[in-house]
Amino acid sequence: MRNIQVSELDRRAVEDQDVEIVERKGLGHPDSICDGIAEAVSRGLSQLYLDRVGTVLHYNTDETQLVAGRAAPAFGGGEVLSPIYVLIVGRATSEYEGETLPVERTALESARAYLNETIPELDVGADVILDVKLGEGSGDLQDVFGEEGQVPMANDTSFGVGHAPLTETERIVLDVERSLNGEYAADHPELGPDVKVMGKREGDDVDVTVAAAVVDSYVDSMADYEAAVADVEAFVADLAADHTDRNVTVEVNTADDIEEGSIYLTTTGVSAEQGDDGSVGRGNRANGLITPNRPMSMEATSGKNPVNHIGKIYNLLSTEIAESVVDEVDGIRDLQVRLLSQIGRPIDEPHVADAQVVTAEGVTVADVEAEMEELIDDRLANVTDITRRVIDGDLSTF
Amino acid sequence: MRNIQVSELDRRAVEDQDVEIVERKGLGHPDSICDGIAEAVSRGLSQLYLDRVGTVLHYNTDETQLVAGRAAPAFGGGEVLSPIYVLIVGRATSEYEGETLPVERTALESARAYLNETIPELDVGADVILDVKLGEGSGDLQDVFGEEGQVPMANDTSFGVGHAPLTETERIVLDVERSLNGEYAADHPELGPDVKVMGKREGDDVDVTVAAAVVDSYVDSMADYEAAVADVEAFVADLAADHTDRNVTVEVNTADDIEEGSIYLTTTGVSAEQGDDGSVGRGNRANGLITPNRPMSMEATSGKNPVNHIGKIYNLLSTEIAESVVDEVDGIRDLQVRLLSQIGRPIDEPHVADAQVVTAEGVTVADVEAEMEELIDDRLANVTDITRRVIDGDLSTF
Amino acid sequence: MRNIQVSELDRRAVEDQDVEIVERKGLGHPDSICDGIAEAVSRGLSQLYLDRVGTVLHYNTDETQLVAGRAAPAFGGGEVLSPIYVLIVGRATSEYEGETLPVERTALESARAYLNETIPELDVGADVILDVKLGEGSGDLQDVFGEEGQVPMANDTSFGVGHAPLTETERIVLDVERSLNGEYAADHPELGPDVKVMGKREGDDVDVTVAAAVVDSYVDSMADYEAAVADVEAFVADLAADHTDRNVTVEVNTADDIEEGSIYLTTTGVSAEQGDDGSVGRGNRANGLITPNRPMSMEATSGKNPVNHIGKIYNLLSTEIAESVVDEVDGIRDLQVRLLSQIGRPIDEPHVADAQVVTAEGVTVADVEAEMEELIDDRLANVTDITRRVIDGDLSTF
Amino acid sequence: MRNIQVSELDRRAVEDQDVEIVERKGLGHPDSICDGIAEAVSRGLSQLYLDRVGTVLHYNTDETQLVAGRAAPAFGGGEVLSPIYVLIVGRATSEYEGETLPVERTALESARAYLNETIPELDVGADVILDVKLGEGSGDLQDVFGEEGQVPMANDTSFGVGHAPLTETERIVLDVERSLNGEYAADHPELGPDVKVMGKREGDDVDVTVAAAVVDSYVDSMADYEAAVADVEAFVADLAADHTDRNVTVEVNTADDIEEGSIYLTTTGVSAEQGDDGSVGRGNRANGLITPNRPMSMEATSGKNPVNHIGKIYNLLSTEIAESVVDEVDGIRDLQVRLLSQIGRPIDEPHVADAQVVTAEGVTVADVEAEMEELIDDRLANVTDITRRVIDGDLSTF
């Protein structure tokens, strides 16, 4: 039997705390660009190994470094002056049974495809230099979906933590960024993907602060720019209102100084074009948010191999467990799931799976304990689903 | 009057929680090497600007990337095969009133000096390639110690968090690494600086797990190696016993497989020589620890300019405030201090300084509130001390 | 009056010498790739400056370095494993009257466009990493086509040398490479652009040795490969026969060992994909050939700015002068034109223009001297035509 | 019997020609720095292979690229602002019988040692970044000093050419640079190693033009600078007078504009510190000179492996042969030796060794032919001496 402990969480639900801070760095933020590239490279390598070898070989590519470029944005369309430089760093097994595998080429292709899809205004090869340094991995063979349900062993003593449900503020922050970079951007090409959202709640007052890069070729004047910002503000306000009855204040590009002409105008939609460096693991946690009110793992999730890198797997799995428990078990106000690995043990058998719960009024831990344990046990048994879904790109890591 | 709020912390003191996890990546860990280089570069640039301009100009160098090398360690002395590659990344103002400042040269010199001091077995220039890409900063002048006590403005809306006192487990983890890399290494050159310490406490049982790189030129045989590891273990056990009456178990290099000859032997004392990449801000927080039981800021502290980079200043300051309050005020069992900045406001006037306290038995928040507020206010008033001490290298950032 | 000296060349015409060696590195040779990129970058920068500033500013980009990749060619189509790395190096003025010019971006775009056109099998960005380091130029303004026919000053004491007419062997070598990379490749996609041609003549026996990269995706078997090589051989033999009545022997890919399977098969048509590094100025001289029988300038012509870089201009101009004199003046068997600049003097007034001639039987130097001097004087007067044609891409530099 | 042909050279001796141009780029010239590094790396690798394997394995490192830095020289001592970047490029076998050899580390160490010795004012690691990209070689074993005098096979069809004796002008140019960078610099630390010497002879008038970098920390004023330049001029004039009775004019730093303060002042003694890029094979030929009056090989000699790289060996050997023939055989006024290899044949058996001679008055080719052939044959028989002396650093390649 797996070591699953359910207990009471010795604090108020985050939703009930006085002050709450939440942040999300959007897809085009320099740190997120690195997370995205690292994870795209990881998926590319996993797929390469599956195609060629039938199983995922050792790799770890959680170290992309971005050096900002220089740009001269201008109403109606400016230009990039000096390219962004991106160095993809990591380890990957390049020799297997006498065959040499195109790991560096695969990394470049994956990164390029990711950027083309995510930041369409960026001309990869002219606005961005993609470079790569992949050292040799250990060459150990790692079975992904082993015969007869064999489960990989943990590669380290590590720790993952997940939470559910998200608070209103968290939901707002997450949804604002995703919607802006999704449906909104589809209709509003003037909005670049470098959107950063900060939510601050004090009691029942929620401040949502958005920094949104505007793409210069779609705005011809300061009036256009101001209209673009106002549109974002209105959209965010509407969206936030769908999530909460609290008082919401929305501010977009508050650092702008319209008089001075100091505004958030970009040529490519990302601040990396001018002065903002980035790297992997410095931004959003595995659930897409930065939540100082909650325990967080420092482990970078993006770019790690999803087969036996326990930091990656347990961060994703603990979040999934928390979400599914909250979905299926009534009476939970806040749930925190921690998974602690034991090096050398199968990853479906953590040293401890520790679920701490704030129950709803009138519900006790004893009421939900059994159901929770069963659900958690089931999820652990299917841990390799995480691996599969990461490789398929179905799970976001940042 | 500054906005200082003292309230009760709505959880048990970490010391009293059932499970506690603490980690510290030692000086020679790849992420710490990057933190250390970034901070050394930052100090070098601050000093350069003070010497040449009289004040610190805009810079931000919190983005060093390390790409691991290849080595062939061997009893009696192996060798580095391919060098570690370190890319120093950031922004720095290089032109001031017509003078060009040697920012890249200063970065290289600072990084080299730091490595020479910290990892003496590493031959910088042969075992390590130091490269640098510093883009242009904004050129804004930033007064450090302005006339008549002028205080810089916050450059961002950001957040810092500090805690005190450290728990026994935290103190053990911190002290073990510092002592191993200090007095112990001085007498035991076979111990490399790449020491990683993990503490796990379940109730009153504390497990201290140490991964310690052994330098091959000082051990001639497996027996020597085993003796070196045993010495570390004994030292750590003694040291831990000084800090706690709880049951302490110490394990050193548990991943070794002596039979297979798979041991933690290195040529230079760091795992970066063979396969372990690293970057800034991925390891220890500003207080030197990774503490998932406590709120942590994701902000990288190392490498940022200490004049107006509010993330750096507030992480260091909140820790200092927490420590001094606990030192001077009786009856505090656990204290968490959060500082939230307000962009454009003087950094000594945070949006809120929020001190949450777990009082000792028989003490109430009301008993300590006034004294705490006064102390916090005083510390905020002297915020620029932080800047000065960072530049002087008196404050550790990782 | 310009200082033009016509005299007798104190050796036999190269056509009449006993032994003659001629070489041409084709478009896809690693050194030629670098020459081609450097010159494409030069044209791109010239055009940028003309478009933005109206005149060409100081730059010099004659230093591209190519680091070979790794590939695994295979009948029917292999793959690139590790990318070719190309570092574009040089100086370029990036600031002009307060405006910043996109010199690095322009360099990348120009290089990419050149590679896409010249080596179509190469996927730039996946098979090739293009990187760039352009330092600051001097910022001096250089008028290209100044008012009232103002001519730029020579930037150096330098030397150019040109010859005409080409010998039969030289014509064969030049034409073979151009035809293979032109009409032949258009019909035979299995022939890659990395074609190297060596001509050796001993008396009336001419050996033409061709090394021709075959593209793997167009040949499915060793038989296909052998047929491809045989086709090249037949084509070259026919072409050579058009140029000479001497005995011609043609050999293609003589280093092949069919038995061992050691053949010149490539995935992208260039040897840079696997192990052959390259750089600028190491291959063909300005007339497209390497001719140890004739004086050659060591100066790299490709990548230099064509406005006042005298080494570039005089190498191209001396060749043009030699060709036009031979075209228009009867009775010349071999002509060598040397131009020696004088630093600080207008480039149309060389320190000396020295034309040495081998006259045909029955013709004396006195017979042709006056006509030659007039032609040379006229060409010198129109030296800026060279600049214009280089920028327009009408003059090949390698 | 080896195929040795002695014949009359169908031109006047260079000494007797009307116009002669000779150039030498001194040790500190950017191209020479690259040549020197490439050759130092080559010697380091040869020695590594000899020490570890007992024989030299395949490598080729003739591709170093230097990207200039930025400096701010000033009387009394200026500073380097941005480092010079040097990329060592090539191929080297890194695996041999299961052992991995430290080829990249050896390259870095060799380059660093060379720079420290040659350009003492340069602080490698702060003023210069040394980077390296060595791809895999072919792994073929190459016997250097094989059993029973086995001679390596030629790796290519290539060509070497050598001359003797040097003309007066050539001797002056060579000696001026060597003496300035030797005895003179030893006594005059204000002279940097970046010395470029150009000799131009028209009839009996020899112009020697020297560009000599002055090191700023040794000159405190313009007067000091002018004195330093005058000292060089006097030294060169004396030295030239020892070599010739012709009229010699010496000019040093003619491009200086003392009024404008535009002088050749440097912080480190090399122009690479500010704006002058460099690469291998672009400067001096194997005999240390650039001599457009004589046939030259375009092949880069520096950095190539001296065991079977025929271009390197034949350039050095043909020069040696020419010199020894002229030393030992009376009556030779000018001698040109060409060696043409035959791929796959032992390197002591060239396709043809072709010695063309201008005899002294009263001497015929028939008079010297037999003695020359014997000497040439003997030298060819001992071709592997070249290899040995290159590895020992006894033969200069540039």
Side-chain angles (χ1 to χ4, degrees), chain B residues 52 70 79-83 95 100-102 104-105 108-109 112 123-127 129-132, chain D residues 52 70 79-83 85 95 100-102 104-105 108-109 112 123-127 129-132:
Chain B
R52 301 285 179 96
R70 264 184 102 186
E79 66 185 345
V80 170
L81 300 169
S82 300
E95 304 280 342
T100 303
L101 298 162
E104 292 206 329
R105 197 190 188 286
L108 288 173
E109 277 192 302
R112 182 174 61 175
D123 179 354
V124 181
D127 297 331
I129 294 168
L130 283 176
D131 199 355
V132 61
Chain D
R52 300 286 177 97
R70 266 183 102 186
E79 66 184 344
V80 171
L81 300 169
S82 298
Y85 174 82
E95 302 280 343
T100 303
L101 298 161
E104 293 206 328
R105 197 189 188 286
L108 288 174
E109 277 191 304
R112 181 174 62 176
D123 179 354
V124 181
D127 297 331
I129 294 168
L130 284 175
D131 199 355
V132 59

Side-chain angles (χ1 to χ4, degrees), chain C residues 247-329:
Chain C
N247 304 319
V248 177
T249 312
V250 174
E251 291 191 295
V252 179
N253 293 359
T254 47
D256 283 357
D257 185 335
I258 300 284
E259 301 295 300
E260 295 284 324
S262 167
I263 56 175
Y264 197 174
L265 193 69
T266 65
T267 294
T268 63
V270 295
S271 66
E273 73 176 34
Q274 173 71 35
D276 278 4
D277 308 311
S279 48
V280 173
R282 293 269 292 262
N284 308 327
R285 301 296 86 194
N287 69 349
L289 296 170
I290 300 170
T291 56
N293 288 59
R294 304 187 184 270
M296 293 183 285
S297 162
M298 291 308 302
E299 189 94 45
T301 300
S302 302
K304 294 209 160 80
N305 97 60
V307 175
N308 78 343
H309 205 296
I310 202 64
K312 177 168 196 158
I313 295 168
Y314 276 11
N315 273 315
L316 293 168
L317 180 61
S318 56
T319 300
E320 291 250 309
I321 288 176
E323 287 169 357
S324 67
V325 167
V326 166
D327 271 3
E328 302 189 25
V329 181

Side-chain angles (χ1 to χ4, degrees), chain D residues 57-386:
Chain D
L57 301 179
H58 176 72
Y59 74 86
N60 186 28
T61 57
D62 66 336
E63 293 276 350
T64 295
Q65 174 70 53
L66 181 152
V67 185
R70 266 183 102 186
F75 289 127
E79 66 184 344
V80 171
L81 300 169
S82 298
I84 297 164
Y85 174 82
V86 173
L87 181 60
I88 301 166
V89 172
R91 311 283 119 196
T93 307
S94 66
E95 302 280 343
Y96 185 72
E97 294 188 351
E99 192 190 357
T100 303
L101 298 161
V103 295
E104 293 206 328
R105 197 189 188 286
T106 298
L108 288 174
E109 277 191 304
S110 303
R112 181 174 62 176
Y114 177 78
L115 287 177
N116 283 337
E117 190 192 319
T118 315
I119 315 179
E121 303 287 340
L122 217 51
D123 179 354
V124 181
D127 297 331
V128 185
I129 294 168
L130 284 175
D131 199 355
V132 59
K133 286 184 187 274
L134 290 187
E136 202 52 35
S138 74
D140 294 346
L141 175 62
Q142 299 171 345
D143 288 305
V144 188
F145 313 114
E147 293 169 292
E148 302 167 66
Q150 200 185 322
V151 172
M153 302 297 154
N155 74 332
D156 203 353
T157 299
S158 188
F159 160 87
V161 60
H163 313 273
L166 295 185
T167 64
E168 282 181 2
T169 309
E170 290 168 336
R171 277 198 298 271
I172 289 169
V173 167
L174 195 60
D175 198 12
V176 161
E177 190 276 333
R178 289 200 173 146
S179 298
L180 284 176
N181 262 324
E183 52 176 294
Y184 188 85
D187 290 340
H188 294 80
E190 75 276 12
L191 178 69
D194 198 344
V195 170
K196 185 172 156 185
V197 185
M198 179 169 266
K200 176 163 57 82
R201 182 178 58 75
E202 296 191 63
D204 285 331
D205 296 315
V206 180
D207 288 346
V208 180
T209 307
V210 178
V214 174
V215 179
D216 58 8
S217 54
Y218 298 101
V219 293
D220 288 334
S221 62
M222 188 59 87
D224 279 8
Y225 175 83
E226 292 184 88
V229 168
D231 285 353
V232 169
E233 201 167 300
F235 177 83
V236 172
D238 280 358
L239 193 147
D242 294 345
H243 284 288
T244 186
D245 295 328
R246 286 168 165 140
N247 305 319
V248 178
T249 311
V250 175
E251 290 191 296
V252 179
N253 294 359
T254 47
D256 283 356
D257 185 334
I258 301 285
E259 301 295 300
E260 295 285 324
S262 167
I263 56 174
Y264 197 174
L265 193 67
T266 65
T267 294
T268 63
V270 296
S271 65
E273 72 176 34
Q274 173 70 34
D276 277 6
D277 308 312
S279 49
V280 174
R282 293 269 291 263
N284 308 325
R285 302 296 87 195
N287 70 348
L289 295 170
I290 301 170
T291 56
N293 288 61
R294 305 185 183 272
M296 293 182 286
S297 163
M298 291 309 300
E299 189 94 46
T301 300
S302 302
K304 294 211 161 79
N305 98 61
V307 175
N308 80 341
H309 205 296
I310 202 64
K312 176 170 197 157
I313 296 168
Y314 276 11
N315 273 315
L316 293 169
L317 181 61
S318 56
T319 301
E320 291 250 311
I321 287 175
E323 287 170 356
S324 67
V325 167
V326 166
D327 272 1
E328 302 189 25
V329 181
D330 289 333
I332 297 179
R333 184 140 183 84
D334 202 345
L335 173 61
Q336 170 175 309
V337 175
R338 293 189 298 188
L339 301 174
L340 183 65
S341 73
Q342 196 159 9
I343 190 167
R345 296 281 306 157
I347 61 173
D348 67 336
E349 297 180 21
H351 177 69
V352 62
D354 170 36
Q356 294 174 287
V357 65
V358 179
T359 49
E361 229 184 295
V363 180
T364 66
V365 171
D367 295 339
V368 294
E369 189 169 4
E371 197 180 353
M372 283 178 63
E373 282 179 9
E374 194 177 335
L375 271 167
I376 295 171
D377 193 60
D378 178 65
R379 281 293 178 149
L380 283 169
N382 292 294
V383 59
T384 53
D385 282 0
I386 294 285

Side-chain angles (χ1 to χ4, degrees), chain A residues 178-199:
Chain A
R178 290 200 172 146
S179 298
L180 284 176
N181 262 324
E183 53 177 292
Y184 187 85
D187 290 341
H188 294 80
E190 76 276 12
L191 178 68
D194 198 345
V195 170
K196 184 172 154 185
V197 185
M198 181 170 264

